Amino acid sequence: MASIDIKNLKKAYGTFSVLHGIDLLIKDGEFIVLVGPSGCGKSTLLRMIAGLEDVSEGEIQIDGLRVNERHPKDRDIAMVFQSYALYPHMTVAENMSYSLRLRRAAKETTARAVSAASQKLGLDPFLERRPKALSGGQRQRVAMGRAIVRQPKAFLFDEPLSNLDARLREQMRAEIKKMHADLKATSIYVTHDQIEAMTLADRIVAMHGGVVQQVGSPLELYDRPANLFVAGFIGSPGMNFLEGRAEDGGLRLRDGSLVVLGALSKDLKGQEVTVGVRPEHVVLHHEGEGMSARVDLIEPTGFGIIVHLQLNGLPIKVFTLDRSALSCGPNIGVTLPAEHLHLFDAQGIRQGA
Amino acid sequence: MRSSLLPTVAHRLAIFAYIIFALFPLFWLLKVSVTPNDLLYSEGVRLWPSQTTFEHYADVLRHSAFPTFFKNSVIVSGSTAIVVTICASLSGYALSRFSFRTKYWIIALMLLTQMFPLVMLVAPIFKILSPLGLTNSLTGLVIVYSAFNVPFATFLMQSFFDGIPKDLEEAAMIDGATRFVAFRQIILPLTLPGIAATLGFVFTAAWSELLFALMLINGNDAATFPVGLLTFVSKFSVDFGQMMAAGILALIPAGFFFLLIQRYLVQGLTAGAVKG
């Protein structure tokens, strides 16, 4: 196991810049999730750590050693691909033992490593099968087995669950977490799915446009997003945003109406701000209490209910566990509690605690 | 379902008509090769002669230089197929996986070589090969055939490599393989259908090539069988029976070759590699 230190890492294809200077220290045994929308550079960053992409500028260190110029085979890392990338002409056992056979490990060592991994992943009945005779989940397990067998310094995951259906994804997510608890292996996991990021990570690295937006524990990112991007990306259904001018007693929207909020910071008075509030923090009342809002749409999810509202013409989503919301009238009262408001300045940077 | 009967019948009939059209010359080849000489012109047009004979085959094998032609053709076609396939695998892989500055020009150049009518090139090639002592030799033929077949075979192999996900060799390289080991142990086994197709394509192209064989070779020692077939045409007569018998014999190795590789031609080896 090893730490990975990334210093001012940049990547450009010709004049097109993809990563604009990434700094990140990954501690030994840590589970890091790189999350962001498509094209944010997270996969490129992972592939650079693996050695599959050249480094344009900056440095990658694994265990204190610079690896920029090292070939993937000399970095001693394992990677699980989104496509699984199993060798179709080899059996499951051969797939898992390939790295050890390349290293000319002793036959008994190889056999022991393969059987230990296959046992852990429940692959014993399939060892002699070819990948094409396996289901998606089983292929995914083989890909993980191939990574475990060699006991690498670090595991890299490139959207490993994206090709699975929802049920299986949930199950494999738990297995990956269990595996990490077992092996305590330094892991870097790329995903665009913020649920995977929240559930798996010790720390999340939120990326956008080739820049790291925030690094922190899942709850840190959820409770105190550093900027508008993180606030909007983490959480489902997503955070509600209200844009306007901060005034005493609330927020003056573009159309001139006032949204009653608790105390906004005095420093911001008169400035353009964005107020964010998570759907589960919006409080619903009977009509007449709080601000009046029009009900647009009600989506029952079984677990809870998502209510789409129009508040002074702005769309607001509310998540509630209260089933009486199902039968609410065309209008409803809402309040946005002051303690749950997120405040961002005109540049989208978080203000206050 | 009654409504779909007519299209099905029409479809089958169309295929049947095509097969008849495609195979009839072969049938005629066989028919003439077993027709005794005295019946060839006396019986008129019949689908099958009233009497059959294998004497043409015996004559071809015993009293002509055909065995030599045959041996030469096997050597030339086999060598060409192997040389071209090796070159095309390497260059096709390079075109498929690497980006380098001259890539565009190399592709353009290779396309350019395919544009000239071969007849135009006979004289210059003869002029080049003659001082090197490569006319009238099988080596010369192999070189010329290889040169003409590599570009097309490269494009063919490139398309097969393009069909194999890049993830596979990246996974192999992370597993500890060099790029060449990944190529040899992971990519090549998956390209066997492509290699078989390329081998087959080049083999048959070289096997039936007449123009250069005729121009670069004189005398029977280094002649390939398409040239040899012309020896059955003499000044005053054409020995159709023996010519057809030789033709049938020449089909055998090509047919056998395809029998060997057909398993790879139809097999989709990449199934199961990645999510399909």
Side-chain angles (χ1 to χ4, degrees):
Chain A
M1 298 304 124
S3 61
I4 297 173
D5 195 359
I6 293 160
K7 290 175 180 162
N8 191 28
L9 197 66
K10 289 183 184 168
K11 177 73 184 176
Y13 296 101
T15 52
F16 183 68
S17 186
V18 184
L19 292 180
H20 311 275
I22 305 282
D23 284 286
L24 186 62
L25 176 64
I26 299 163
K27 294 191 282 273
D28 187 14
E30 198 171 22
F31 200 117
I32 288 280
V33 175
L34 305 178
V35 69
S38 301
C40 72
K42 57 191 192 297
S43 275
T44 307
L45 176 56
L46 191 79
R47 291 170 58 82
M48 286 166 87
I49 296 170
L52 297 172
E53 298 276 351
D54 291 331
V55 172
S56 305
E57 218 184 303
E59 192 172 72
I60 301 172
Q61 292 183 352
I62 298 179
D63 247 356
L65 278 175
R66 178 186 161 98
V67 296
N68 285 27
E69 290 78 21
R70 287 208 191 171
H71 290 291
K73 73 183 183 74
D74 301 322
R75 296 193 183 194
D76 196 15
I77 33 114
M79 184 155 162
V80 178
F81 289 81
Q82 176 177 1
S83 65
Y84 320 138
L86 301 180
Y87 312 128
H89 56 306
M90 296 185 189
T91 63
V92 168
E94 286 167 339
N95 260 287
M96 297 212 290
S97 62
Y98 184 62
S99 61
L100 294 178
R101 284 184 287 139
L102 279 173
R103 273 191 257 170
R104 302 183 197 288
K107 274 217 168 77
E108 307 86 72
T109 328
T110 310
R112 216 175 314 126
V114 169
S115 82
S118 79
Q119 210 161 28
K120 193 174 293 178
L121 294 163
L123 287 170
D124 280 339
F126 311 112
L127 281 177
E128 294 311 314
R129 288 207 199 161
R130 296 277 164 89
K132 72 169 168 225
L134 299 178
S135 70
Q138 288 161 349
R139 288 181 199 176
Q140 182 56 55
R141 281 205 184 95
V142 177
M144 297 211 326
R146 193 167 65 179
I148 301 176
V149 159
R150 40 184 302 213
Q151 303 185 314
K153 283 185 177 159
F155 289 99
L156 308 180
F157 298 88
D158 191 3
E159 310 213 13
L161 305 184
S162 304
N163 282 342
L164 301 177
D165 60 49
R167 173 72 49 219
L168 207 50
R169 201 179 308 162
E170 209 171 277
Q171 188 187 336
M172 291 304 293
R173 206 169 67 203
E175 282 189 30
I176 290 177
K177 186 149 192 170
K178 215 158 61 194
M179 184 177 104
H180 180 251
D182 264 11
L183 300 172
K184 303 271 185 300
T186 311
S187 304
I188 307 176
Y189 188 107
V190 164
T191 182
H192 58 259
D193 179 350
Q194 45 99 17
I195 305 263
E196 275 173 36
M198 293 294 286
T199 51
L200 286 170
D202 291 328
R203 281 194 300 160
I204 294 179
V205 178
M207 291 179 67
H208 182 49
V211 177
V212 171
Q213 304 288 325
Q214 189 173 5
V215 183
S217 73
L219 288 183
E220 255 172 71
L221 264 71
Y222 192 81
D223 293 340
R224 281 191 304 282
N227 55 38
L228 273 178
F229 168 77
V230 179
F233 193 78
I234 302 284
S236 173
M239 190 183 275
N240 298 300
F241 293 115
L242 308 167
E243 288 173 34
R245 190 179 297 276
E247 282 184 10
D248 286 332
L251 186 72
R252 181 70 65 186
L253 298 182
R254 297 266 153 75
D255 66 355
S257 59
L258 187 78
V259 176
V260 183
L261 301 170
L264 293 181
S265 162
K266 287 266 184 307
D267 317 336
L268 287 170
K269 208 170 139 190
Q271 285 184 29
E272 292 292 329
V273 295
T274 303
V275 173
V277 59
R278 295 213 175 272
E280 67 270 29
H281 292 145
V282 180
V283 182
L284 296 177
H285 309 282
H286 292 293
E287 203 182 347
E289 276 179 74
M291 291 174 287
S292 172
R294 207 182 76 215
V295 177
D296 266 354
L297 183 70
I298 297 176
E299 293 180 302
T301 67
F303 169 60
I305 297 153
I306 303 169
V307 186
H308 295 251
L309 303 174
Q310 292 247 0
L311 177 62
N312 295 358
L314 288 176
I316 299 277
K317 276 169 292 182
V318 184
F319 182 81
T320 172
L321 296 177
D322 180 6
R323 293 207 172 171
S324 65
L326 274 177
S327 52
C328 62
N331 288 298
I332 200 166
V334 295
T335 47
L336 310 178
E339 69 272 24
H340 287 306
L341 296 184
H342 304 264
L343 215 55
F344 303 94
D345 67 11
Q347 280 74 49
I349 308 296
R350 181 184 189 82
Q351 300 298 309
Chain B
M1 291 231 278
R2 258 194 96 73
S3 60
S4 66
L5 191 66
L6 190 67
T8 314
V9 169
H11 179 230
R12 295 287 150 82
L13 277 179
I15 292 177
F16 187 67
Y18 172 74
I19 290 175
I20 297 283
F21 179 74
L23 291 184
F24 188 75
L26 283 178
F27 167 73
W28 210 248
L29 198 68
L30 183 70
K31 183 236 164 189
V32 175
S33 77
V34 295
T35 307
N37 270 345
D38 48 347
L39 293 183
L40 193 56
Y41 296 106
S42 58
E43 279 202 315
V45 180
R46 300 176 55 145
L47 272 185
W48 197 250
S50 55
Q51 241 184 318
T52 59
T53 173
F54 285 101
E55 69 182 277
H56 299 311
Y57 289 90
D59 277 351
V60 164
L61 291 174
R62 282 199 214 116
H63 304 302
S64 74
F66 190 79
T68 316
F69 304 149
F70 198 78
K71 189 191 74 193
N72 289 342
S73 264
V74 169
I75 293 173
V76 169
S77 309
S79 313
T80 305
I82 292 168
V83 168
V84 168
T85 305
I86 291 174
C87 293
S89 307
L90 296 173
S91 53
Y93 182 78
L95 290 184
S96 166
R97 290 302 200 260
F98 302 132
S99 58
F100 42 95
R101 208 175 317 163
T102 51
K103 184 169 167 175
Y104 174 80
W105 292 106
I106 288 175
I107 292 175
L109 212 62
M110 290 204 307
L111 270 180
L112 204 67
T113 63
Q114 303 292 293
M115 291 176 186
F116 295 101
L118 292 182
V119 183
M120 254 175 67
L121 301 173
V122 171
I125 283 181
F126 190 85
K127 197 85 179 148
I128 295 169
L129 292 186
S130 155
L132 296 171
L134 288 174
T135 55
N136 217 7
S137 93
L138 296 183
T139 319
L141 275 188
V142 172
I143 292 174
V144 172
Y145 290 169
S146 298
F148 279 108
N149 278 307
V150 159
F152 183 79
T154 297
F155 294 133
L156 196 63
M157 286 305 295
Q158 182 196 352
S159 68
F160 281 106
F161 287 124
D162 283 345
I164 294 179
K166 253 183 158 170
D167 285 0
L168 285 182
E169 70 232 77
E170 289 181 347
M173 288 195 288
I174 286 178
D175 266 350
T178 59
R179 188 174 272 280
F180 186 71
V181 170
F183 174 69
R184 203 163 47 82
Q185 296 186 344
I186 306 295
I187 304 303
L188 269 193
L190 300 177
T191 328
L192 282 181
I195 291 177
T198 309
L199 272 176
F201 174 79
V202 177
F203 186 89
T204 44
W207 185 258
S208 54
E209 206 284 340
L210 176 64
L211 182 64
F212 280 96
L214 199 60
M215 295 301 167
L216 297 179
I217 307 288
N218 51 47
N220 277 352
D221 287 348
T224 55
F225 103 88
V227 180
L229 281 186
L230 291 178
T231 62
F232 295 107
V233 182
S234 61
K235 200 167 180 183
F236 300 108
S237 69
V238 180
D239 195 334
F240 279 114
Q242 290 194 19
M243 198 181 193
M244 301 298 161
I248 290 281
L249 289 173
L251 280 176
I252 293 173
F256 183 69
F257 191 75
F258 271 95
L259 205 66
L260 271 184
I261 61 174
Q262 61 90 21
R263 183 163 80 91
Y264 298 105
L265 282 177
V266 295
Q267 199 174 37
L269 257 180
T270 48
V274 297
K275 167 111 177 172

